[in-house]
Amino acid sequence: MTWKETIESIGPLNQEAMERCTERWNSIAKPLYAFGEFEPMTIRMAGVTGNSDFYVKKKALVIMCADHGVLEEGVSQSNQEITKVMTEGFTRMECCVSVMAEMAGVDLFPVDIGVASDLIPEVINRKIAYGTKNMAKEPAMTREQAIRSLEVGIEMVEMLKEKGYEILCVGEMGVGNTTASSAMTSAFLNVPVASVTGRGSGLKAEGVVHKTKVLERIMTSYTFDPEDPLDVLCKVGGFEIGGMAGLYLGAAANRIPVVADGVISCVAALLACKLAPAAKDYIFASHLSKEPAGKLLLDELGLTPCLTAGMHLGEGTGAVALMPVLDMAMGVYHRMSTFSEVEIMTYEPYDENDIGKK
């Protein structure tokens, strides 16, 4: 489907499935709401899939990989060679997320959507260009390229659905992409870039100061169309950010739960929700990124993270880290005895905010 057709096909959650899932959780012989965020998460997943008896056995992580022309401005301690090495490393046991994914039973799908080098055949080739333009001098990409990045993500979802995947994790790789994500966050939330700019892959204090000054200069050089989210992507975004936004849109249209990773993944989620507000119901937050924009983005999306561990690694590591815990919660959901089965008194549902009320 085209990106517009995909947006038009996103429907509401299945309320009946959510009600059945809620009833099941409340019938399990445990204290009510004791699984915290995993209960509303799985209830919403039931609404996504339309099935209160759903499973998430077959899991995929899609890692969108691309380079950024703004690297010319000295905004990172790394060079573009790192993007190539890491992207190819995802196909082997050479990256953090590769090890984590193997342990969590998650299949990896690294996608070259805009790496500035030619890569090995094991990486899925959907290259739009050899990196974006330097947004400090000109828009990062054309509108046609921005649309193509969305549709690469949508196509990946359609391919994975055909392969039977039941949940998708979203990851990224691209040296310089925290600069693009800070610019996009600033534009979407109308906040100063200084408040959403961090160390990225490990800048020292003086490096963060320089990065912030570059971003301030960039942001004053553009006027963004508030009615056109793609305008922000075109001017200060990245191909991998557009690709991840397409993953969220495609997942929503195909009724597949999709898990956001860190701050760059969440910027892409916000772009997707700006394009299609209904997509928000299909997106789940894995963790709270340590990057300055992390909480701001989750608050704007209305999402609550399940993990708070100070992670800021990217690659999809936070989303993958969530999977084993989700498996345990689903195991309890499907296999635990009910109050009636163990012949003990059923707890009465209550309002968690009613403490102190008369």
Side-chain angles (χ1 to χ4, degrees), residues 120-357:
I120 58 176
E122 289 80 0
V123 176
I124 298 169
N125 185 359
R126 297 292 185 274
K127 195 189 298 288
I128 295 171
Y130 288 84
T132 55
K133 302 292 185 183
N134 182 353
M135 64 182 179
K137 298 176 180 178
E138 59 185 309
M141 67 187 79
T142 66
R143 191 170 186 85
E144 291 73 22
Q145 289 175 328
I147 290 170
R148 179 60 190 146
S149 70
L150 292 177
E151 293 184 343
V152 167
I154 293 166
E155 290 164 8
M156 284 299 301
V157 174
E158 292 170 345
M159 179 192 79
L160 293 171
K161 182 181 181 180
E162 288 182 3
K163 293 178 179 291
Y165 285 93
E166 297 162 306
I167 192 167
L168 305 180
C169 299
V170 176
E172 44 65 36
M173 178 61 215
V175 175
N177 61 11
T178 58
T179 301
S181 65
S182 294
M184 292 184 69
T185 301
S186 175
F188 281 142
L189 302 186
N190 193 28
V191 296
V193 287
S195 68
V196 292
T197 301
R199 296 180 184 272
S201 59
L203 286 173
K204 294 181 179 180
E206 58 268 29
V208 177
V209 171
H210 172 72
K211 180 179 176 181
T212 302
K213 288 181 178 178
V214 170
L215 276 164
E216 288 173 341
R217 174 163 51 87
I218 289 169
M219 297 306 287
T220 58
S221 68
Y222 292 113
T223 300
F224 301 101
D225 183 350
E227 304 300 319
D228 181 14
L230 279 184
D231 187 52
V232 175
L233 178 63
C234 290
K235 289 172 178 172
V236 296
F239 294 135
E240 80 276 45
I241 297 175
M244 289 187 291
L247 289 173
Y248 295 120
L249 295 174
N254 286 278
R255 306 196 73 89
I256 301 173
V258 59
V259 181
D261 186 46
V263 67
I264 302 158
S265 174
C266 287
V267 170
L270 183 55
L271 170 60
C273 293
K274 292 281 186 182
L275 291 167
K280 184 177 74 171
D281 289 338
Y282 296 80
I283 302 171
F284 299 83
S286 59
H287 74 293
L288 175 62
S289 172
K290 194 176 179 180
E291 281 286 306
K295 187 174 187 305
L296 283 174
L297 287 163
L298 289 178
D299 287 347
E300 182 70 16
L301 288 163
L303 298 177
T304 302
C306 286
L307 307 176
T308 306
M311 295 178 68
H312 53 106
L313 180 56
E315 304 177 16
T317 50
V320 170
L322 176 64
M323 293 298 104
V325 193
L326 178 60
D327 283 342
M328 286 185 275
M330 292 301 298
V332 170
Y333 175 79
H334 285 291
R335 297 169 59 184
M336 185 70 180
S337 299
T338 64
F339 287 108
S340 61
E341 287 169 343
V342 296
E343 298 181 345
I344 61 175
M345 183 180 67
T346 302
Y347 289 127
E348 292 295 325
Y350 62 88
D351 180 353
E352 292 192 276
N353 299 313
D354 67 358
I355 295 176
K357 294 179 181 178

Side-chain angles (χ1 to χ4, degrees), residues 81-96:
E81 180 65 19
I82 300 298
T83 306
K84 170 182 167 62
V85 170
M86 291 294 293
T87 301
E88 293 184 337
F90 292 136
T91 67
R92 303 180 287 264
M93 206 57 59
E94 296 176 356
C95 301
C96 294

